[in-house]
Amino acid sequence: MNIFYYDVAVSLPLRQCFTYSSDIKIKKGTRVLVSFGKRKLVGVVVKNSKKPNSLKNTGALKKIISILDDYPLFDKSIFDSILWASDYYHHPIGEVFNNFIPTDLRKINNKKIEKVEEVDNYSVNEDNKQFELTKDQEKAVKKLSKFEGFLPSLLYGVTGSGKTEVYLRLAEKCIKSNKSVLILVPEINLTPQLLSRFENRFNGEIGIYHSKQTAAKRLKTWLKAKFGAIKIIVGTRSSALIPLSNIGLIIIDEEHDQSFRQSEGFKFSARDLSIKRAQMAEIPIILGSATPSLQTLRLVKESKFQRVDILSRVDGNKPPKLIVLDINNSPLNGGIALETIDVIQSTIERNEQVLVFINRRGFAPLYQCGGCGWVAGCKSCDTNLVFHQSKNRLICHRCESAYSVNVNCPACNAKDFHMHGVGTERVEEVLKKSFAGTPVIRVDHDSTKKIGAMEAIVNKIHSSDAAILVGTQMIAKGHDFPKVTLSIILNADNGLISPESNALEKISQLLIQVSGRAGRNNNLAKVIIQTRYPDDINLNKIKTGDYMNFASQCLSNNRKMNLPPYTPLCLLRCSSPTQKSNIDFLNKAVHTLTNRPGINVIGPLPSLVSKAKGSYRHQVYIHASKKTYLNKVLKFLTEEFEKWPESKKVRWSFDLDPIDLG
Ligand SMILES: [Zn+2]
Ligand SMILES: [Zn+2]
């Protein structure tokens, strides 16, 4: 009897596979049941190993208990992308697999990979296709559909230029040649328009896949996609590696969006992973945005990506004017300047809509005792509690713990509390008082939590005439509000003066995206940016509305200053119940790297949120001259950490190409 040996990845935070034997031939990527210590676990066959690691152990080598499916989980291109991701991000292989396996298939249960019948009823619904393409759109479609094989393209389309129609036309081509399409979007409930346009354009089920669905629903969609019963998937970052039979195209909409980055657990970029997948599958990938990331622009500059532009809006209008309003000498009411109130007044008198953007939810971000200065803070995080009037609670935005509102100060017993700062609820209240009779509609995490809430809000906005929308960055993503002719940005200053190296990229994207929501049907639309830094050099460049010019200046600046995307950066993050464990571990890591050429280490430093959910957080910045070199260093560190007693007392992880530097 032949005996085969297999390296199996188990879903534990371990950076290695384990060898098991079986007398059956098993395909790579197949789920198997194995015993591990005293437990039984679901594992994935990663590779054949001809000889067991050590012959001495052969006798003790465990047998695979059973093979769980008739089919492997993934095809070769996805399987290889997972191996690449585990290696590139230096993350335990079993956990990387788990990120892309539906929950129901990770556990020991009776769920299996069962074949779903393929459908052949996918077709283009020609009746619902009444769009004439603009010249720019037509050129873009032509240029983007020429390619076969791996080629990443940036589709730079100004807001309102009709990128979605270009996606639809390219998807049509795929469906007609019996290929499938994957569309990644930042957040599902922020893209009802894109979704409904795909549903209208095609006969056949459009699969939706994201982490807020039930496990059963996700498994169903996953299986249908795998076996060709669904040929179009619209999903969030968790669908980056969803199997799709005969995949022909990947589209990443709003590629600059930070939601594509997973920053807890397995820290990865769904954008970068999708590019790798497209490369492995030898298919085109399109990254669409009105405000492309510096990373993508660098790759365009180096001719690794092609660039396709749509510079005119579908409605032929010019983009709205950005106006800087100096608020240094203006009294503010709920963060809003008097001049701003006047402009809102005249806008709603014309029966048009106003969008007020403030990047903070709740009523007031600081709840303080007037007697002694005590500030309400979370018990398990190093964050101030935000007062939420709608719930009459103090809430930690880090861990979502809710506290009842203090009547007496816990420090001095005084009953004199003050609220400082402004959040969406407070802006809403001020506007409701100033504009009685005009609907004030709040769009934030709290008002859109319930299923269907976002759709109801969007419907209300569309069916109202004069109205004021108050929202966080949620309102800046994806939606079109044709009746909005005035946008107001209340607190851009934090972004302008932030020390983070990618702050300017983020704030310029935000300002352009917010301004893009407005004025789709009106040439007189404008955006008011309230600021205490009216002469800020960057603000004045962003004000021109020429994002690409500003971004290209940022890019050459970052190149000179040796900042990402030119210098590879990794954060070594660690957390533990005591500060000492963190510092001991990180100091040892820093010491290990000192005097290495080509490596620059900063830290240990407390993270921006230095305590969260009861654990202290610290980090070390590791810069290297080249990515391949950084990779080597991280590999070396991983091996070292496995040997150290200090690393057993902390949870550590690498955050490669981080977007959140704090
Ligand atoms: Zn007090
Ligand atoms: Zn907390």
Side-chain angles (χ1 to χ4, degrees), residues 369-374 409-414 417:
C369 167
C372 70
W374 174 89
C409 171
C412 75
N413 219 28
F417 282 102

Side-chain angles (χ1 to χ4, degrees), residues 586-605:
L586 291 176
N587 269 335
K588 192 165 178 182
V590 170
H591 183 75
T592 311
L593 295 180
T594 335
N595 300 330
R596 280 184 167 248
I599 283 281
N600 186 14
V601 186
I602 304 166
L605 294 164

Side-chain angles (χ1 to χ4, degrees), residues 466-513:
I468 305 172
L469 332 178
V470 177
T472 56
Q473 73 268 32
M474 268 194 163
I475 212 167
K477 289 182 185 180
H479 292 288
D480 291 337
F481 301 116
K483 291 178 197 163
V484 170
T485 59
L486 171 68
S487 302
I488 293 148
I489 291 151
L490 292 187
N491 60 348
D493 287 352
N494 293 342
L496 289 172
I497 57 170
S498 162
E500 282 194 20
S501 64
N502 56 355
L504 282 178
E505 179 183 2
K506 288 190 205 169
I507 188 73
S508 57
Q509 288 168 343
L510 182 76
L511 293 179
I512 300 289
Q513 291 289 343

Side-chain angles (χ1 to χ4, degrees), residues 150-154 275 296-307:
F150 174 62
L151 181 81
S153 309
L154 164 66
I275 295 169
T296 297
L297 289 174
R298 179 198 171 178
L299 294 166
V300 170
K301 220 172 184 175
E302 293 171 355
S303 305
K304 287 173 184 149
F305 283 23
Q306 71 159 340
R307 174 175 156 183

Side-chain angles (χ1 to χ4, degrees), residues 6-25:
Y6 300 101
D7 284 354
V8 173
V10 292
S11 58
L12 293 172
L14 299 167
R15 285 179 163 74
Q16 65 180 101
C17 291
F18 296 87
T19 309
Y20 291 85
S21 70
S22 173
D23 46 24
I24 302 167
K25 260 200 158 161

Side-chain angles (χ1 to χ4, degrees), residues 363-435:
F363 189 85
L366 205 68
Y367 190 76
Q368 190 175 32
C369 167
C372 70
W374 174 89
V375 170
C378 179
K379 290 198 178 84
S380 20
C381 310
D382 173 38
T383 45
N384 294 332
L385 297 177
V386 178
F387 176 64
H388 282 243
Q389 194 171 50
S390 55
K391 296 174 188 139
N392 195 29
R393 284 279 185 280
L394 292 161
I395 294 174
C396 169
H397 284 188
R398 177 62 45 170
C399 70
E400 291 296 321
S401 300
Y403 298 76
S404 54
V405 177
N406 305 70
V407 182
N408 297 85
C409 171
C412 75
N413 219 28
K415 288 186 179 178
D416 174 28
F417 282 102
H418 298 272
M419 283 183 259
H420 302 283
V422 177
T424 45
E425 286 185 357
R426 187 159 187 183
V427 174
E428 180 190 19
E429 188 186 80
V430 167
L431 290 169
K432 273 186 173 157
K433 275 186 193 151
S434 310
F435 300 101

